[in-house]
Amino acid sequence: MDFLKTAPMRFLLLVTGLWLTIFVLTRAVLLLTHLDEAGSGVVSVFGLGLLYDLGFLAYAALPLGLYLLLCPPALWRRRGHRWFLQGLLSVSLFAMLFTAVAEWLFWDEFGVRFNFIAVDYLVYSDEVLNNLLESYPIGTLLGVLALLAVIFSVASHKALTAALDAPLPTARGRLASVFALLVATGLSHQVLNQGSPRAQGGNAYQNELASNGPYQFFAAFRNNDLDYQQFYSTLPPAEVANQVRAELSEPNAHFIGQDPQDIRRMIDNPGITRHPNIVLVTIESLSAKYMGSNGDERNLTPNLDALRKQSLYFNNFYATGTRTDRGLEAITLAIPPTPGRSIVKRIGRESGFASLGQQLSAVGYDSVFVYGGRGYFDNMNAFFSGNGYRVVDQSSVPEDEIHFKNAWGMADEDLYKQTLKLADADYAKQQPFLLQLMTTSNHRPYTYPDGRIDIPSGNGRDGAVKYTDYAIGQFLAQARVKPWFDNTIFVFVADHTAGSAGKEDLPISNYQIPLFIYAPKLIEPRETAQLASQIDLAPTLLGLLNLDYQSTFFGRNLLQPNDLPPRVVVGNYQHLGLFDGQNLAILSPRQGLRRHDQALTESIESPATTSDPLIARAITYYQTASYGFKQQLLGWKAPKEGTTQVSER
């Protein structure tokens, strides 16, 4: 253990020792504010807390330790380097003190250590910064923290000088020290994670107090969960079970799950099963408000406006969320936007669901996710490949077949050309296909090939919308001459709108998107004002096929007559909503409940309780979805042997 007495290791132990002191003091202060709630488990709180503190320090110390141990002796002995290390100590103290204060403020609001909400604050940094500036004397606070950091740094000057004056390690000592750091980091990775050992039931305050804030913050990047049961209002399981069955009891459905909260049910669609191809295009950021047929006078969507008259068009249709991964989750899995990170991005838990692609693959379809960008973004490759699809993305396409690309991916026209190739190949094999596309052109930097439209590339969203419309027009014109066109259903839907911010947490009008279902030989064109959302698309498509299947979908077949109450589910990671066409219920962390009456117009906000029927409906959807995900009730179960496989058209 002589290597611990060398200058680099003594300096490293000094820094991490001061950090550990701040962690322990932070935990003690938080405990004092909730002694009654925490109960008598003080010893376990600090014992388990020490484990988490040391786990974080093992990660945090690794880069600093490697620098110190690999620093050349000549540089180590220079006066400027000593000043650098003294400054580094002061800066690290300031950072830890700042973190401690941030933890206090976060705990005061939410009653927990850092979690996904803290991570989410980075996404909404402008709002968070403005809130902090209005709520706290930030300038004074930062000044006080800087002064404290300097005071603590000066107070530790003697120990710092002794550390810097200690002998430098030999080559063998450096190697031993590096090995020790790597072992400590490896042990931390093996022993600790977001769910173990702190979250094994028992007193929630004790579990939270035993956490380490910085560790939890970084762990939340990988495990972005916001536990519904802990943070949101709930109803008794029996009440939820009765309500969810009332919400999903379509005339052709019967429940088969053993758990009362299991929504698994058999869907018996009437009629002879048919096997048309499906091309499902999810369009980046296409708000319904951009369409000329909805009143926009800039002539940005002439092709879509014409397509509207030729399609089954839904003019009262909504996205479930504000990001691409939420739209893909809703369209593919037909599940409400559970709090925290979407299922698409829940690494390690994103696969095995009864998706639209899985349902069609089981009866012989070639289910393909076709993405204009690289599918590692937002974990899309892992999600789709784990849920019944094969993936074709930008990296699958030869460079000479990509005529234009930007940071997000190939231009929409190149994506559509790849789609035509895939459709031709499947047709040649006499295999029906589901080609589920995700476009990229209607996204900043809003660039696209020159000469396509009358708005120069890179001049903003208007040009990107018009190019998006142009590419769709070209795609359909090329598809109409294909031999598979007459037996193909084309679906065009947005992943989310171009902007969802508003005065309310969930401004419902800003979630409205278009939905076109176009198949001139198969579906009569008409327009419907039926209230619906992305979670209703998958069951509607399977209904168009007259397919009988085992469903875990929360959505409904929009073409099947029923007496079910209308609803749309929307969310933004923290706030969860249910809109009934007139009023909006909102569920928020810390069991927050409120409603917005006349949500599309005056949007009159008022507090609410679980006895409110609209609130109860909202709780039912989100509590059931979170429960189903946690209990693995939404998993794929292959059809029994003997299910007809499609081999011809």
Side-chain angles (χ1 to χ4, degrees):
M1 302 294 286
D2 288 342
F3 66 89
L4 294 176
K5 300 178 182 179
T6 61
M9 292 304 294
R10 288 187 64 173
F11 179 80
L12 184 63
L13 290 173
L14 173 63
V15 172
T16 54
L18 290 171
W19 290 1
L20 180 60
T21 301
I22 294 174
F23 292 156
V24 173
L25 290 174
T26 301
R27 183 173 293 108
V29 171
L30 296 179
L31 176 61
L32 288 173
T33 63
H34 288 83
L35 274 176
D36 293 338
E37 296 92 337
S40 58
V42 175
V43 174
S44 63
V45 163
F46 281 93
L48 191 56
L50 180 62
L51 181 63
Y52 270 92
D53 293 343
L54 293 176
F56 172 77
L57 291 176
Y59 286 112
L62 182 60
L64 176 59
L66 291 177
Y67 168 78
L68 296 172
L69 291 167
L70 298 177
C71 181
L75 176 60
W76 183 274
R77 295 189 180 97
R78 289 185 179 179
R79 177 175 298 178
H81 189 255
R82 292 174 67 98
W83 281 106
F84 167 73
L85 293 178
Q86 290 177 338
L88 186 64
L89 175 64
S90 298
V91 170
S92 71
L93 282 170
F94 175 81
M96 287 299 105
L97 289 170
F98 179 85
T99 301
V101 172
E103 278 215 80
W104 163 258
L105 298 176
F106 193 81
W107 178 275
D108 185 56
E109 182 173 358
F110 295 103
V112 294
R113 308 297 284 265
F114 289 148
N115 60 13
F116 182 70
I117 295 178
V119 177
D120 190 40
Y121 278 179
L122 295 181
V123 178
Y124 301 102
S125 55
D126 290 342
E127 292 89 339
V128 173
L129 180 58
N130 289 334
N131 178 63
L132 291 174
L133 290 174
E134 293 175 4
S135 302
Y136 307 102
I138 296 297
T140 302
L141 182 60
L142 293 178
V144 171
L145 293 178
L147 179 61
L148 288 174
V150 171
I151 291 174
F152 291 157
S153 181
V154 171
S156 60
H157 179 72
K158 184 176 180 180
L160 175 63
T161 300
L164 297 179
D165 289 340
L168 294 175
T170 63
R172 179 176 295 180
R174 292 177 189 272
L175 184 61
S177 299
V178 169
F179 180 74
L181 289 176
L182 293 174
V183 168
T185 305
L187 287 174
S188 175
H189 177 73
Q190 290 296 319
V191 173
L192 301 178
N193 59 55
Q194 182 78 338
S196 173
R198 60 173 280 272
Q200 300 299 324
N203 187 301
Y205 277 101
Q206 292 180 13
N207 291 334
E208 291 296 330
L209 288 166
S211 305
N212 175 280
Y215 178 89
Q216 293 301 115
F217 181 83
F218 287 106
F221 276 106
R222 182 171 178 83
N223 299 301
N224 295 106
D225 289 337
L226 193 57
D227 185 71
Y228 183 89
Q229 289 289 131
Q230 181 179 2
F231 286 96
Y232 293 84
S233 289
T234 60
L235 290 170
E239 184 175 340
V240 168
N242 290 334
Q243 181 68 43
V244 76
R245 293 187 177 228
E247 293 285 335
L248 301 181
S249 291
E250 297 174 276
N252 59 333
H254 61 274
F255 289 84
I256 60 175
Q258 299 300 311
D259 188 321
Q261 296 181 79
D262 187 351
I263 68 165
R264 194 178 299 271
R265 58 209 186 278
M266 289 302 305
I267 305 295
D268 300 317
N269 281 310
I272 299 173
T273 302
R274 53 182 181 171
H275 313 118
N277 311 301
I278 299 174
V279 178
L280 169 53
V281 183
T282 311
I283 306 169
E284 172 68 40
S285 305
L286 186 66
S287 302
K289 65 182 180 181
Y290 287 124
M291 293 180 58
S293 54
N294 283 333
D296 191 289
E297 298 179 350
R298 292 169 293 179
N299 193 33
L300 300 178
T301 59
N303 291 296
L304 288 174
D305 292 332
L307 185 66
R308 179 172 182 168
K309 299 176 182 178
Q310 304 165 31
S311 303
L312 171 58
Y313 181 77
F314 292 81
N315 63 24
N316 199 14
F317 194 79
Y318 292 82
T320 64
T322 61
R323 301 292 296 274
T324 295
D325 56 306
R326 280 299 188 191
L328 295 176
E329 171 191 67
I331 291 168
T332 307
L333 302 182
I335 188 172
T338 52
R341 176 168 277 193
S342 71
I343 292 174
V344 176
K345 296 167 71 174
R346 293 187 184 183
I347 298 173
R349 295 174 294 163
E350 73 279 75
S351 60
F353 293 92
S355 68
L356 173 63
Q358 196 74 272
Q359 296 284 2
L360 291 176
S361 292
V363 293
Y365 276 67
D366 182 23
S367 297
V368 190
F369 175 63
V370 193
Y371 180 43
R374 298 187 184 277
Y376 63 79
F377 178 75
D378 268 358
N379 200 43
M380 284 188 273
N381 279 352
F383 171 75
F384 281 97
S385 62
N387 288 294
Y389 295 79
R390 64 185 179 96
V391 176
V392 175
D393 67 353
Q394 182 184 338
S395 61
S396 310
V397 179
E399 282 294 323
D400 61 359
E401 296 183 16
I402 301 177
H403 303 93
F404 183 93
K405 63 181 178 180
N406 58 25
W408 287 105
M410 67 180 101
D412 285 1
E413 61 190 72
D414 289 331
L415 175 67
Y416 290 132
K417 288 176 183 176
Q418 294 303 315
T419 302
L420 294 171
K421 287 180 58 177
L422 292 167
D424 288 343
D426 278 336
Y427 180 79
K429 295 184 296 183
Q430 290 295 293
Q431 183 178 14
F433 51 80
L434 164 66
L435 303 180
Q436 186 168 335
L437 283 63
M438 182 66 230
T439 73
T440 62
S441 290
N442 191 25
H443 195 295
R444 193 179 298 276
Y446 309 127
T447 54
Y448 40 84
D450 293 329
R452 304 303 195 265
I453 60 173
D454 57 2
I455 301 176
S457 172
N459 275 4
R461 174 79 70 177
D462 287 1
V465 171
K466 194 162 190 175
Y467 172 74
T468 294
D469 178 83
Y470 161 85
I472 290 172
Q474 293 295 305
F475 171 55
L476 288 176
Q478 294 164 1
R480 288 187 182 105
V481 301
K482 297 291 185 178
W484 42 262
F485 175 79
D486 286 347
N487 194 41
T488 300
I489 298 173
F490 294 85
V491 181
F492 295 92
V493 64
D495 60 346
H496 55 83
T497 60
S500 58
K503 293 181 179 180
E504 298 86 19
D505 289 315
L506 297 176
I508 189 66
S509 61
N510 290 353
Y511 284 75
Q512 190 170 8
I513 58 174
L515 170 62
F516 307 78
I517 301 179
Y518 171 65
K521 298 293 185 180
L522 303 174
I523 301 172
E524 288 291 327
R526 64 183 177 90
E527 188 160 323
T528 174
Q530 183 177 1
L531 184 68
S533 80
Q534 289 167 324
I535 67 171
D536 300 312
L537 184 52
T540 300
L541 289 176
L542 296 182
L544 282 169
L545 274 58
N546 300 326
L547 182 69
D548 297 339
Y549 64 101
Q550 189 178 125
S551 175
T552 59
F553 296 155
F554 283 78
R556 306 165 177 169
N557 179 356
L558 299 176
L559 305 180
Q560 179 73 25
N562 61 67
D563 296 324
L564 301 177
R567 88 287 173 268
V568 159
V569 288
V570 297
N572 67 356
Y573 295 110
Q574 295 185 35
H575 304 293
L576 313 172
L578 184 140
F579 177 57
D580 67 0
Q582 182 176 1
N583 306 316
L584 173 69
I586 298 181
L587 317 179
S588 299
R590 301 181 68 190
Q591 290 74 45
L593 298 174
R594 57 207 149 105
R595 59 180 292 151
H596 285 255
D597 293 322
Q598 304 300 320
L600 289 174
T601 53
E602 296 94 336
S603 192
I604 305 168
E605 181 177 311
S606 60
T609 66
T610 56
S611 62
D612 185 321
L614 187 63
I615 294 291
R617 293 182 66 200
I619 292 174
T620 292
Y621 274 92
Y622 294 106
Q623 185 173 331
T624 304
S626 297
Y627 178 84
F629 176 79
K630 196 177 251 187
Q631 300 298 321
Q632 300 181 338
L633 300 177
L634 307 176
W636 167 246
K637 293 183 180 180
K640 296 179 180 178
E641 291 187 12
T643 299
T644 302
Q645 298 291 305
V646 178
S647 58
E648 75 284 326
R649 281 174 240 201

